[in-house]
Amino acid sequence: QEIINLVESSSGLSNLKILDVSGIPFPVRIQLDFCLALGEHSNLENLQLADVGLGSNPVAKQCLEALFRCNTLSALDLSWNSFGDEVFGAIGAYVSQPHVHLRWLSLSNCSSAGTEAMEDRHSAEQAKPFKPVNLMLECLAKAKSLTYLDISINRLDLTGALILEDALSRHRSLTELDVSRNPFG
């Protein structure tokens, strides 16, 4: 609670540009308030929230929506937080909004197992797991300010590679992409 007060207070951390709380497990009960305070911050440029337990929060989507309201944010690390379909889809939608000027995004090892989806309803094949990160990748082409993206260790397979290829064919500003440690096969 003290860090929330510091971030919100005009006499606290109002000039803060970089905040790294990676690896510090935040209690679920304060995550939304913390994200709301960060989203309203007027100077924050670089936010590192790797492995803080954000994915286990039932209001993770609202937390991310609050973070993406921060107009000064240019770098965001959400790595090692496990996100499902709904949250990954929301990340893609938020990153592609015109008011978002995010240049650097790390989502390393964020993909949960995913929901079961049929690739072809007329096929006799068993349902295959759909990768949540694919939902975010579909929105990538609209994220015009993004220059760096880390989607390593997210169980990307051939389908994900094809979605990524399509999105990147329309995304000219991305200059760095980390897809290491994905099966692609």
Side-chain angles (χ1 to χ4, degrees):
Q1 189 65 39
E2 293 301 317
I3 194 165
I4 296 170
N5 295 335
L6 278 172
V7 170
E8 290 179 327
S9 170
S10 60
S11 62
L13 300 173
S14 60
N15 292 321
L16 185 69
K17 292 191 181 289
I18 300 170
L19 178 61
D20 186 349
V21 292
S22 298
I24 301 171
F26 277 81
V28 170
R29 67 184 181 344
I30 69 162
Q31 286 180 3
L32 183 56
D33 290 337
F34 182 56
C35 291
L36 288 167
L38 292 170
E40 297 298 320
H41 200 282
S42 59
N43 290 308
L44 189 62
E45 296 174 1
N46 184 321
L47 180 59
Q48 307 293 310
L49 295 174
D51 195 22
V52 295
L54 191 58
S56 62
N57 191 335
V59 294
K61 186 176 168 185
Q62 290 92 323
C63 289
L64 292 171
E65 180 181 11
L67 291 176
F68 280 100
R69 284 190 205 129
C70 183
N71 293 327
T72 57
L73 194 61
S74 62
L76 179 61
D77 185 355
L78 296 170
S79 299
W80 294 86
N81 290 291
S82 181
F83 300 131
D85 300 351
E86 184 179 1
V87 175
F88 256 116
I91 291 170
Y94 299 144
V95 168
S96 62
Q97 290 179 355
H99 76 276
V100 174
H101 302 290
L102 201 62
R103 292 188 324 253
W104 193 96
L105 178 62
S106 182
L107 296 167
S108 180
N109 197 31
C110 286
S111 192
S112 64
T115 58
E116 297 294 313
M118 286 295 285
E119 290 183 356
D120 180 3
R121 291 185 181 266
H122 303 291
S123 163
E125 292 181 8
Q126 292 287 345
K128 296 182 179 179
F130 184 76
K131 309 300 187 278
V133 71
N134 290 350
L135 295 170
M136 190 275 306
L137 293 177
E138 290 175 353
C139 299
L140 187 61
K142 297 176 189 171
K144 299 300 181 192
S145 63
L146 208 57
T147 60
Y148 172 87
L149 178 63
D150 178 356
I151 49 174
S152 61
I153 320 171
N154 273 296
R155 301 183 190 101
L156 285 175
D157 56 10
L158 182 57
T159 302
L162 293 172
I163 294 169
L164 183 61
E165 177 188 29
D166 182 55
L168 293 181
S169 70
R170 294 173 278 144
H171 194 293
R172 302 292 181 214
S173 60
L174 193 70
T175 58
E176 293 182 65
L177 176 66
D178 185 348
V179 292
S180 62
R181 295 191 274 176
N182 282 296
F184 288 119

